[in-house]
Amino acid sequence: MSADAVPFLDLITPHIELEEELTAVFRRALRTAGFIGGPAVEDFEKAFAAFCESEHAVGLNSGTDALRFALMACGIEAGDAVLTVPHTFIATTEAISQAGAFPEFIDIDERTYNLSAAKLEEYLREQCSRDGSGRAISRRSGRPVTAVVPVHLYGQMADMESILRLAEEFRLTVIEDACQAHGAEYFSAKHNRWFKAGSMGKAAAFSFYPGKNLGACGEAGAATTQDPAIAAKIRMLRDHGQAHKYYHDIEGYNGRLDSIQAGLLQVKLGHLAQWNAARRERAAEYNRLLAGHDGVVCPYEPSWSKAVYHLYVIRVGDRDGLMKHLKEEGIGTGIHYPVPLHLQKAYASMHHAAADFPVATRVAAEIVSLPMFPQLTAAQQAKVAGEVLAFTAREARTLAGQPA
Ligand SMILES: Cc1ncc(COP(=O)(O)O)c(C=O)c1O
């Protein structure tokens, strides 16, 4: 890599900066043989719950299991329909299926790329009937619709208040996929205050996959909830269905967070607010450099949102051409995600066409994620933005029939 190359993500610098503290965690685990459970896990759970302004956090082995256990603990039953978006990582729908339910898709909002509350409402009013007890029954599948999973994609919360209002009317449980949104905030007009991701739904799932805003040094996740009964159920599910050793009330899973990861996460959690603030500053700088230029659509942050920019995603006409150009200039990029779930082979049995969810289909073809991490320098951002604009201006000239 050339000296002025800009990586998509720098996972090395923050670990070098914290090397002494992180190594001490590992040494402590070795010297106490404290590998599973114990104070490291409990301390992290308390600290993460406080960070999310939630009563309870349960440490788990991944975000996928966090979502699966949250759904199960909230009473989602085999055969239920659970609504979510097609523009997300497949773990969202894997967790729904693995909980025994069936995902059904609702299209996303054109500007935020998150669940469209307007389309959710349209679906519930026009594509569902109501049974005797007032539950929504999907006309698509004939299944009872019992839950909705808004995904706070790229670090920005979905429009929770509108979603919660519909959920109340249609008796849906709201479970947040907050796997990309540690620390994101939503302003509730109803309560006249900001809420943290993971504190508004019945339960929420977080991933600590290494590249996340709060990342472990391996696999890890957590579920949050305000409800002690749901927290207790998730604790049982993660530990073979036992609340007391070898007394199994239900069949569960091996879904525990290990003590070393909990200790490492505890160290990093102390820096998360500052890292998130740095991401917001980097996003504002990209906006300053890129906004208002033809051919580039910058991320949209509604007034009710404080996003934590897990990813900084722009839209352009020739996405593949731009990525090729940036790669030639030594700039790393990504696509999150190139194929929406309704068009994935894994869901071919749903028989969806691209036009069923037109916004998700269009967005997936135009998005590109630019380098985004707290240590990104102003010079690196200027280089990235300069190359994006050089490419899009050339593209515009070509389209207008002028020499590139
Ligand atoms: C939106 C979303 N949901 C769920 C997950 C699953 O998390 P994990 O990889 O920790 O299982 C991820 C992680 O990439 C994600 O981005």
Side-chain angles (χ1 to χ4, degrees), residues 61-67 88-92 151-153 177-180 205-209 212 219-221 310 337:
N61 63 346
S62 70
T64 311
D65 269 359
L67 191 53
T88 179
F89 183 54
I90 194 171
T92 308
V151 181
H152 305 323
L153 204 68
D177 182 337
C179 283
Q180 299 190 5
F206 289 87
S207 166
F208 303 128
Y209 188 76
K212 295 291 196 280
E219 301 279 1
H310 170 55
Y337 298 89

Side-chain angles (χ1 to χ4, degrees), residues 85-392:
V85 285
H87 185 59
T88 179
F89 183 54
I90 194 171
T92 308
T93 43
E94 283 174 335
I96 293 170
S97 304
Q98 288 163 11
F102 290 81
E104 288 195 22
F105 296 122
I106 307 289
D107 209 351
I108 54 170
D109 177 79
E110 179 87 45
R111 295 216 286 173
T112 63
Y113 313 139
N114 279 328
L115 178 68
S116 158
K119 289 189 186 129
L120 175 65
E121 177 158 19
E122 188 184 297
Y123 171 90
L124 289 166
R125 295 207 191 286
E126 291 169 21
Q127 295 184 43
C128 291
S129 55
R130 306 290 281 269
D131 71 5
S133 64
R135 275 193 322 181
I137 307 292
S138 162
R139 291 215 176 92
R140 260 187 228 166
S141 64
R143 302 180 193 285
V145 183
T146 56
V148 56
V149 178
V151 181
H152 305 323
L153 204 68
Y154 307 153
Q156 171 152 275
M157 286 180 72
D159 182 2
M160 285 300 286
E161 200 141 86
S162 306
I163 294 166
L164 286 165
R165 183 176 42 77
L166 288 165
E168 194 178 338
E169 181 181 342
F170 288 88
R171 299 177 45 201
L172 309 180
T173 304
V174 180
I175 295 155
E176 300 168 68
D177 182 337
C179 283
Q180 299 190 5
H182 325 69
E185 290 180 70
Y186 180 93
F187 187 80
S188 157
K190 185 172 157 192
H191 298 279
N192 196 30
R193 72 171 180 90
W194 291 91
F195 282 82
K196 284 275 189 74
S199 70
M200 294 187 87
K202 192 79 183 155
F206 289 87
S207 166
F208 303 128
Y209 188 76
K212 295 291 196 280
N213 290 27
L214 177 62
C217 301
E219 301 279 1
T224 55
T225 178
Q226 311 288 11
D227 184 329
I230 289 174
K233 185 82 191 280
I234 296 173
R235 286 183 200 287
M236 282 181 80
L237 286 167
R238 78 171 170 184
D239 196 18
H240 301 287
Q242 60 187 358
H244 302 288
K245 204 170 168 77
Y246 301 138
Y247 289 82
H248 307 273
D249 294 355
I250 52 171
E251 270 192 3
Y253 301 83
N254 179 350
R256 296 175 297 246
L257 171 66
D258 76 62
S259 319
I260 292 176
Q261 295 303 342
L264 299 170
L265 285 163
Q266 179 84 294
V267 171
K268 290 177 157 195
L269 182 59
H271 300 266
L272 182 57
Q274 177 207 331
W275 286 336
N276 280 345
R279 283 175 184 270
R280 284 182 60 75
E281 281 167 20
R282 306 295 177 278
E285 177 65 358
Y286 270 141
N287 290 345
R288 193 182 67 77
L289 295 167
L290 294 171
H293 287 272
D294 283 347
V296 182
V297 180
C298 291
Y300 170 66
E301 205 177 305
S303 57
W304 43 255
S305 167
K306 275 189 212 158
V308 290
Y309 293 93
H310 170 55
L311 295 166
Y312 184 91
V313 178
I314 60 167
R315 279 165 75 184
V316 292
D318 180 8
R319 183 262 312 281
D320 296 341
L322 174 62
M323 288 180 77
K324 183 166 171 286
H325 172 75
L326 294 180
K327 188 172 180 199
E328 283 161 8
E329 297 301 325
I331 296 168
T333 56
I335 308 175
H336 303 87
Y337 298 89
V339 181
L341 294 184
H342 64 287
L343 300 179
Q344 292 282 359
K345 201 167 155 191
Y347 296 117
S349 63
M350 291 188 188
H351 303 293
H352 280 306
D356 290 348
F357 306 101
V359 182
T361 301
R362 189 166 59 248
V363 163
E366 296 176 352
I367 44 174
V368 53
S369 309
L370 300 181
M372 170 51 83
F373 48 90
Q375 297 78 16
L376 193 64
T377 65
Q380 287 176 317
Q381 288 200 272
K383 172 174 166 155
V384 174
E387 293 302 337
V388 169
L389 294 180
F391 179 83
T392 49

